[in-house]
Amino acid sequence: WEDKTGQEMVRDVNAVLNSLWEDSRTLFKPLDVFVPLYQFTLLNETPIVIGGTGTAMTAMEYLKKNNVITQLTGQELRVHPSRYLKGAGAGDTDRMVIMDRNRRNQCLPMPMPYLLSQPVPAPLAAELYAEMKLGSFHIRQKGSMMYADGI
């Protein structure tokens, strides 16, 4: 995105938003966009120039108001900076993640608490066994989230 204009950056984000919305047959409407820190800064600094005329808006302000999902839902797009997306894409490129964040689409399962089993007799000893499971981020609806590499 270093050599792109503000309008081209907005077009890239809109293309991914539209792709997820269209691929899910309009079921998912992603309002959350996660970008690396540098791209977040670029969106906030780059002015929008339309037809050779500069506007008083940055690419971020323009993007939040002018995208397909905002037009459908009436809600403003939420753009979040994430330090974990730099170099996370294929070929060590930067990655953008968009998602329809809803409880029915993704969840963070609660971990299984530490559970100590009954002691097992052993020669001159007792063996103790325990089990504990840690949850991770779980995507219930696979189409509710999309990656875009190379931004």
Side-chain angles (χ1 to χ4, degrees):
W1 278 10
E2 284 183 20
D3 55 346
K4 288 193 174 187
T5 65
Q7 200 170 11
E8 290 171 331
M9 290 180 213
V10 170
R11 192 175 298 128
D12 287 348
V13 176
N14 271 328
V16 178
L17 289 169
N18 185 54
S19 180
L20 188 140
W21 176 61
E22 199 173 311
D23 290 349
S24 71
R25 305 289 189 254
T26 70
L27 182 63
F28 300 116
K29 296 172 184 72
L31 282 169
D32 290 283
V33 178
F34 296 87
V35 294
L37 304 177
Y38 182 68
Q39 282 80 351
F40 185 80
T41 303
L42 282 177
L43 283 170
N44 280 300
E45 289 178 345
T46 309
I48 286 290
V49 178
I50 300 174
T53 305
T55 63
M57 298 177 93
T58 64
M60 180 73 79
E61 293 168 329
Y62 187 81
L63 173 64
K64 286 183 176 185
K65 291 178 176 51
N66 299 294
N67 63 76
V68 67
I69 306 302
T70 298
Q71 298 305 316
L72 290 168
T73 64
Q75 298 177 12
E76 194 172 88
L77 196 68
R78 296 180 292 263
V79 182
H80 310 278
S82 175
R83 63 182 173 187
Y84 302 109
L85 296 175
K86 180 180 173 141
D92 203 32
T93 58
D94 293 343
R95 172 175 281 178
M96 173 174 49
V97 178
I98 64 166
M99 64 172 51
D100 182 352
R101 285 175 74 180
N102 191 313
R103 186 176 300 242
R104 67 177 187 263
N105 299 335
Q106 299 100 15
C107 68
L108 188 62
M110 294 303 292
M112 181 176 148
Y114 187 75
L115 182 65
L116 185 63
S117 300
Q118 292 186 353
V120 177
L124 299 173
E127 295 176 352
L128 301 172
Y129 295 96
E131 182 179 15
M132 184 170 147
K133 293 182 182 174
L134 299 176
S136 62
F137 184 72
H138 175 62
I139 303 169
R140 291 179 176 162
Q141 300 292 331
K142 301 295 182 203
S144 67
M145 187 173 168
M146 183 180 234
Y147 296 153
D149 294 346
I151 63 167

